Amino acid sequence: MPSDLNIHHIKQTFVKQYSQFYCGLACLASIVKYYGGETTQEKLREQSGTTLNGTSLLGLYQAAQNLGFDVAGYEAETKNLKELKEPVILHILKDEKLEHFVVCYGFENSKFTIGDPGWGITQYAEEELAAVWKSKALLKLVPGKNFVTKKNESQSKRKWFLQLIKDDYPVLGIAAFLGIVISSLSLATAIFSQKLIDQILPGKDIRTLVFGVIIFGTILLARSLISYVRGIFLVRQSKEMNTRLISNFFGKLLYLPKPFFDSTSTGDMVARMNDAQRIQRAVVQLSSQVVIDVMIVLVSAGYIFFYSVSTGFISLFSIPIFELLAWRYNRRVIAAQRNVMQSYAATESKYIDTITGVKTIKTFHRENLFAKVVNTVYEFFMQKVFELGLLGAKINLWISAASAMLLTGIISWSAYLVLNTKSCWDR
C-alpha cells in the first residue's frame, strides 16, 4: 500500500471527472486506483445510481461496498482529518451553492492535500477547507477482502476475452494460418528481385527469365486468391461475433431495473452498443494480425541469418529497441485512446439525445443553447483525437529514427563484409 502523502502516486492515480455530474464517481475511481484497483466512471455510474442531478453520498457508499471496500460514513471536523492515514471523500459546497465531492489524501506541512476532480491536485489551508466543508460529511474507504486489484482484474478480463472468442477459434485459426501463408508468399517479390538483378539479367538467360516470371506471376495470383478467402473468413467472424455481442448486451440491458433507464440517456446506451464493432476489430488484431507480424519477423530473421549470421544478430538488436519504445509509450497510448473513446461516446450520446429531444428544444426556443453545447462536446472530442494524433506522430518519429539508424548500420556492415571478400556464410 502506498506511503502517506506520496504525491507522485497520488498524481498517477488521480482521476478527473469528464462530466459535470461525475465528481463523486471520479473521487471513488481515484481511491480505487490509489489502492491498486481499476474501474471506470461509466461502471460506477450504474452501481451508484448517478442521475443528471449527480451522485448522492449514499450512492457512493453502495458503489464502494460493491467494489469490496469497507465503508463508513462520518461527520467530523478538520482536526479529525489531520489524524487520518487513508484518503477519504468529502462532501463540500463550492461557491456557496454547488454541491461537490473531493478526495482528502492527508495533512502535511500545515496543508491538506485535496484531489478536486474538476480541477486537479491542490492544497487547502485548514481555514480554507473548513469554509467549504460545511456538511462535515465524509466517506472513509478501506480495501476489504473482496477488493479486486488491477492484477486480478486483468486476469478476469483475460478469461472474459478468451471466453468471448471461444466460438471463433476455428475461423480465427484458419484466418491466421492463411495470413501466414500470404506473408510467406509476399517474400517472393524480394527473392525474385534479387535473383533477377544478381543472376538472370547479367547472365542473359531468357529461358530462366520466362520461367521465373511465370512462377512469380502464379505466386502473386495465389496470394490474391488466398487473401480473398481469408477476407471471407474474417467477414463471417465479424458478423457472428457482433451478433453475439449485441444479443448478449441487449438481452441483459432489458433486465436492468427501471432506475437505470431513468438515469441513463439513450445516446449512452447506443454508444455502448457501438462498442461491439471496436471489440471485434481488437479481437481480429490480437488473434490474427499479431500472429502474422510475429511470423514475418521470424521468417525475415531466418532469411537474414541464412546469408550472414553477424548481420542477423545486428538485425535482432531492433527487438529490444522497439520493446523499449513500446514500454515507454504504452500507458500514454492507452490513456489517450481511452480518452478518445470516452469523448466519442459522449459526443454520440449528446447528438442522439439532442435529436431525440428536438421537439422540447424547439418548444422552449433553445436551439442556440443546444447547438453550442453539442459543438463544445464535439470540440472536446476532436481535441482528444488531436492529442492522440500528436502522440502517434511522436511515436512514429522515434520508430522512423530507430529504423533509419538500424537500416544504416545493417547496410554499412553488409558492405563491409562484401568489401572484405567475406562469403555469405561468414567464412
Side-chain angles (χ1 to χ4, degrees), residues 35 61 89 129 272 328 368:
Y35 286 114
Y61 181 96
I89 298 178
L129 184 59
R272 298 287 79 77
R328 179 180 176 84
N368 187 48

Side-chain angles (χ1 to χ4, degrees), residues 227-357:
S227 297
Y228 169 74
V229 174
R230 179 173 180 268
I232 292 177
F233 276 104
L234 291 178
V235 169
R236 174 187 168 187
Q237 185 270 339
S238 174
K239 176 181 74 71
E240 294 179 352
M241 184 175 183
N242 285 334
T243 301
R244 287 201 311 272
L245 285 171
I246 295 300
S247 176
N248 183 52
F249 169 80
F250 201 73
K252 292 182 178 179
L253 180 68
L254 294 179
Y255 284 97
L256 291 175
K258 189 176 182 299
F260 170 82
F261 296 93
D262 296 335
S263 63
T264 306
S265 65
T266 304
D268 280 340
M269 288 183 277
V270 173
R272 298 287 79 77
M273 291 181 66
N274 290 338
D275 287 341
Q277 294 182 358
R278 288 187 280 272
I279 293 174
Q280 189 274 332
R281 287 196 294 268
V283 168
V284 173
Q285 178 71 19
L286 288 172
S287 59
S288 181
Q289 191 60 45
V290 171
V291 175
I292 295 172
D293 292 341
V294 170
M295 290 303 301
I296 289 176
V297 170
L298 294 177
V299 172
S300 300
Y303 191 73
I304 295 174
F305 269 98
F306 176 78
Y307 278 93
S308 172
V309 175
S310 56
T311 306
F313 279 114
I314 294 175
S315 66
L316 289 181
F317 186 65
S318 63
I319 295 178
I321 293 178
F322 292 123
E323 282 185 348
L324 178 62
L325 288 174
W327 172 81
R328 179 180 176 84
Y329 288 99
N330 181 55
R331 290 186 178 179
R332 294 171 61 182
V333 170
I334 291 175
Q337 288 177 333
R338 181 181 292 114
N339 289 336
V340 168
M341 290 181 66
Q342 290 175 346
S343 57
Y344 172 78
T347 303
E348 187 175 48
S349 173
K350 187 61 66 176
Y351 271 132
I352 294 173
D353 291 337
T354 302
I355 298 301
T356 304

Side-chain angles (χ1 to χ4, degrees), residues 36 147-159:
F147 181 73
V148 180
T149 62
K150 188 174 181 179
K151 181 179 180 180
N152 294 333
E153 181 75 11
S154 299
Q155 293 175 348
S156 177
K157 288 180 179 179
R158 190 178 300 112
K159 291 180 181 178

Side-chain angles (χ1 to χ4, degrees), residues 220-232:
L220 292 182
L221 290 175
R223 186 181 67 177
S224 300
L225 179 61
I226 295 174
S227 297
Y228 169 74
V229 174
R230 179 173 180 268
I232 292 177

